[in-house]
Amino acid sequence: MTLAPTGRRASAQPGRSVAVFGAGPAGLTAAHELAERGFAVTVYEKLDAFGGKTRSIYADSGGGQLPGEHGFRSFFGFYHNLPDTLRRIPFPGNANGVWDNLVRLNAAMIAGMNRHNLTVPLPFPLPFSQLPMTPQGFIDSVASVFESLFRLPLPEAVFAAERLAVYVSSSTERKFGQWERMTWTDFARLDNSSPEYNRFLGDGFIRELVATKSRNCSAHSIGLVGEEYVWSLLNLDNDTDGKGNDRVLNGPTTETWIDPWIDYLRSIGVTFALGQRLSGFSSDGAHITSAAVTDRSGARRTVEADYYLSAIPLDKFPDVLSDDLSAADPTLDRIRNLQAAWMVGIQFFLRKRVDLANGHVGYNDAPWGLTSISEAQFWRRPLTTYGDGTVQDVLSAIISEWEEPGTFNRRTAEQCTPEEIARETWAQIKAHVNDDGDIQLTDDMLHSWMIDPALTGAGTPDIAYDDAIFIQNPGSWSDRPDAHTAIDNLFLAGDWIKTGMNVACMEGANEGGRLAANAILHACGSPAAPATITPRFTMPLWEPLKLIDRELYKAGQPNMFDIIDRRYPTR
């Protein structure tokens, strides 16, 4: 059941008050679903802004502010739950609410150093009527394909095909019992393979899909999202026709999504308390009796509600996990085993519009794990209306590797000052996009830059990042909690709880919020229809193979396609 926006909610009944801690996508989704079903919801957020990691961050510039962010937002076609929420957020002039603010991407670029760059039109079948590349780009792409064909050893190409066949034909039991317990690096044998093999089956490919790294993420998680992306490319599992398999917003995230969402939630009765950090819970052993929040001055106050929903980040939850909570639900202690990593956004504000690609760019030879997108081409509001009026584009990039030496300064990002981080990142990007003989980025284009302010102490031993993201490390599924806990009125939401999406992303956060809302509906015996949760797409052609593999797995045998590198399940 999908509820249409009504602009109001029914008066909350006694026993229907909910305290939500965290105003990121997971917490706001839960508030949205519960308020539309008649609950009295209050959202507490430690910051002075809404949206968590998805919010826009504005940099001061002479004459005004420039729009930045934690990292560019991707709305893949295989997202279904989040688009449903976007359609239910009214936006002036849009028949389908915020969803109409999504803009289709027509290409992705795989850029390299000292080689031609590959531009891939999206999705298949190829949109020849609007081929998103120049004639030179087409020539470079063809050259790039032949470069790869000549550089990739034939045995590795065959092995890559075997690995992909093994994953898609694996039963659910094997995926969770075997591939979930090893890294993608181990599964794909990246450590003993050629650089070319690593470019396309290693981190160069993975960073395009999910913010993680092959050496610390489970093979199952990466295989799952890779398979989803392939079906989306083939238009088999996209949210709707017309917007392709990858979309971005047509303006800064806060302006085009978060602010309208907050306005709608307020209109249906949700209340908000900013600058209020969750600092703990009180319980009687099986029931939360109250929560405590602390404001910016350090003053602490008590929050009382019928139900308590924690939607704070993974790395912050252990701070409120007291001994009495662990005793009431020992599984909560396993949350401490989950891991997070740094994926830090940096924006380069340009005096000239430069469309590197009509979509994302992956810099496959960048040691700092860079990806980017040129945003002005997708935004409805001109960039010249921000700041001092001279900025015409934002090259929004993400740094996902902090422990490898840079190409030019030979220092890790973790060792650099903010200025050194910006200089080296800019140099790595230029080295990728300028080496085809077509100079696209020059230093005189650069107006200014901004790095995510959640990064502090850069250039000192005290460097820290306050907005790390969950990584699906091997074996982490068994440590991830459900939305409900053994404590009857405590619930959890986020992309790090158990969700069908599995990986850390906005769709996972939205699904986590829906699961938490449904758990509260169940706990209070509400007759309201639960929030819809769209299951993942499964390819019917693979189902017979999965049935066979289930029996092979139960017998302790490898997958039927596991021929070159036979992997027996361990118990």
Side-chain angles (χ1 to χ4, degrees):
M1 174 182 177
T2 297
L3 299 181
T6 62
R8 61 183 179 83
R9 65 162 170 84
S11 298
Q13 301 173 16
R16 299 290 184 91
S17 63
V18 183
V20 176
F21 302 98
L28 295 179
T29 297
H32 189 149
E33 300 295 344
L34 291 169
E36 285 190 338
R37 289 162 174 80
F39 286 75
V41 181
T42 302
V43 179
Y44 299 85
E45 167 58 44
K46 73 171 185 176
L47 301 176
D48 290 324
F50 305 102
K53 295 182 183 68
T54 63
R55 75 187 189 280
S56 301
I57 304 167
Y58 291 84
D60 290 327
S61 177
Q65 292 187 317
L66 295 170
E69 57 202 334
H70 288 273
F72 52 77
R73 311 262 73 81
S74 295
F75 298 78
F76 290 113
F78 56 83
Y79 289 3
H80 293 278
N81 298 302
L82 179 58
D84 171 67
T85 296
L86 298 182
R87 289 185 179 92
R88 292 157 52 201
I89 303 171
F91 191 91
N94 288 358
N96 299 297
V98 166
W99 186 88
D100 282 342
N101 288 338
L102 294 180
V103 179
R104 169 180 170 159
L105 306 186
N106 288 328
M109 177 187 284
I110 300 173
M113 292 178 59
N114 301 315
R115 61 190 296 158
H116 295 87
N117 295 329
L118 172 64
T119 300
V120 182
L122 303 175
F124 298 127
L126 304 181
F128 287 113
S129 61
Q130 45 181 329
L131 196 65
M133 67 178 80
T134 63
Q136 183 61 49
F138 178 77
I139 294 171
D140 291 338
S141 297
V142 173
S144 175
V145 170
F146 279 101
E147 285 173 343
S148 296
L149 289 175
F150 285 119
R151 296 183 189 189
L152 182 65
L154 180 60
E156 290 187 353
V158 174
F159 182 65
E162 185 225 56
R163 292 288 85 193
L164 298 177
V166 164
Y167 182 80
V168 299
S169 64
S170 288
S171 62
T172 299
E173 291 81 0
R174 190 183 298 276
K175 286 176 178 175
F176 282 97
Q178 188 171 6
W179 310 138
E180 160 66 19
R181 299 179 182 278
M182 67 173 61
T183 66
W184 181 259
T185 292
D186 186 13
F187 176 81
R189 293 298 194 201
L190 299 177
D191 284 341
N192 301 312
S193 301
S194 68
E196 199 67 26
Y197 178 88
N198 273 270
R199 283 174 61 85
F200 292 99
L201 213 61
D203 285 334
F205 158 74
I206 291 166
R207 285 194 299 265
E208 291 296 298
L209 301 181
V210 60
T212 191
K213 291 175 282 191
S214 60
R215 68 175 181 266
N216 56 17
C217 187
S218 78
H220 170 51
S221 295
I222 291 178
L224 181 151
V225 74
E227 186 178 4
E228 291 273 10
Y229 190 74
V230 169
W231 305 143
S232 178
L233 274 177
L234 299 174
N235 276 323
L236 295 175
D237 182 32
N238 286 333
D239 164 55
T240 189
D241 293 335
K243 290 200 177 182
N245 76 309
D246 196 358
R247 295 79 59 90
V248 294
L249 287 164
N250 62 3
T253 310
T254 290
E255 298 174 28
T256 56
W257 174 21
I258 303 301
D259 281 350
W261 201 3
I262 299 303
D263 290 342
Y264 173 65
L265 294 180
R266 282 184 167 136
S267 77
I268 59 173
V270 177
T271 57
F272 295 92
L274 293 179
Q276 304 290 320
R277 175 179 59 84
L278 174 64
S279 49
F281 294 102
S282 297
S283 75
D284 61 10
H287 186 84
I288 301 296
T289 55
S290 66
V293 293
T294 304
D295 65 19
R296 288 176 295 277
S297 70
R300 186 179 171 105
R301 71 184 180 93
T302 298
V303 171
E304 294 184 351
D306 298 305
Y307 302 96
Y308 301 84
L309 197 167
S310 174
I312 63 177
L314 158 71
D315 56 325
K316 306 298 188 296
F317 187 77
D319 295 338
V320 301
L321 185 54
S322 58
D323 291 342
D324 58 334
L325 292 185
S326 294
D329 187 348
T331 65
L332 294 177
D333 256 342
R334 297 211 295 267
I335 293 172
R336 303 182 193 276
N337 298 332
L338 302 178
Q339 300 176 15
W342 295 9
M343 305 288 169
V344 183
I346 181 169
Q347 286 78 51
F348 296 99
F349 300 104
L350 308 180
R351 295 188 177 93
K352 178 181 177 181
R353 177 170 160 177
V354 182
D355 300 346
L356 296 181
N358 190 252
H360 300 113
V361 180
Y363 302 89
N364 274 21
D365 298 318
W368 284 6
L370 305 179
T371 51
S372 78
I373 192 167
S374 303
E375 297 194 310
Q377 61 188 314
F378 305 112
W379 284 11
R380 178 182 299 169
R381 177 179 171 183
L383 265 296
T384 52
T385 61
Y386 295 93
D388 61 8
T390 64
V391 170
Q392 296 193 29
D393 208 344
V394 181
L395 182 64
S396 183
I398 293 175
I399 305 169
S400 59
E401 176 54 71
W402 287 76
E403 298 175 355
E404 291 293 326
T407 304
F408 302 99
N409 68 8
R410 306 308 303 165
R411 304 179 68 199
T412 69
E414 205 170 33
Q415 296 171 325
C416 294
T417 65
E419 291 75 15
E420 291 169 336
I421 292 171
R423 190 180 306 118
E424 175 67 18
T425 302
W426 179 247
Q428 289 185 30
I429 290 174
K430 287 194 300 178
H432 281 73
V433 301
N434 289 351
D435 65 1
D436 276 350
D438 181 17
I439 303 299
Q440 300 188 66
L441 295 175
T442 58
D443 291 344
D444 63 329
M445 295 178 184
L446 187 57
H447 173 280
S448 55
W449 54 268
M450 183 188 77
I451 196 166
D452 185 346
L455 182 75
T456 57
T460 76
D462 298 323
I463 186 172
Y465 186 58
D466 196 45
D467 276 319
I469 68 164
F470 169 54
I471 56 173
Q472 301 75 229
N473 50 295
S476 61
W477 183 260
S478 61
D479 292 325
R480 295 168 69 171
D482 291 307
H484 62 273
T485 72
I487 303 167
D488 66 354
N489 62 340
L490 176 63
F491 304 87
L492 306 175
D495 58 11
W496 53 275
I497 71 169
K498 284 188 171 80
T499 68
M501 190 65 248
N502 190 288
V503 299
C505 61
M506 294 183 294
E507 174 76 354
N510 184 273
E511 183 183 348
R514 289 169 181 244
L515 288 168
N518 288 348
I520 291 174
L521 292 174
H522 178 75
C524 72
S526 171
T532 301
I533 297 177
T534 301
R536 291 181 46 249
F537 173 80
T538 57
M539 168 55 74
L541 294 175
W542 301 146
E543 293 310 302
L545 299 178
K546 291 179 181 178
L547 291 176
I548 296 171
D549 187 64
R550 180 182 301 162
E551 298 306 314
L552 290 172
Y553 179 75
K554 289 179 180 178
Q557 297 297 310
N559 178 275
M560 69 189 80
F561 293 110
D562 225 335
I563 299 170
I564 301 173
D565 179 16
R566 293 179 68 76
R567 299 295 185 95
Y568 289 82
T570 57
R571 303 297 184 184

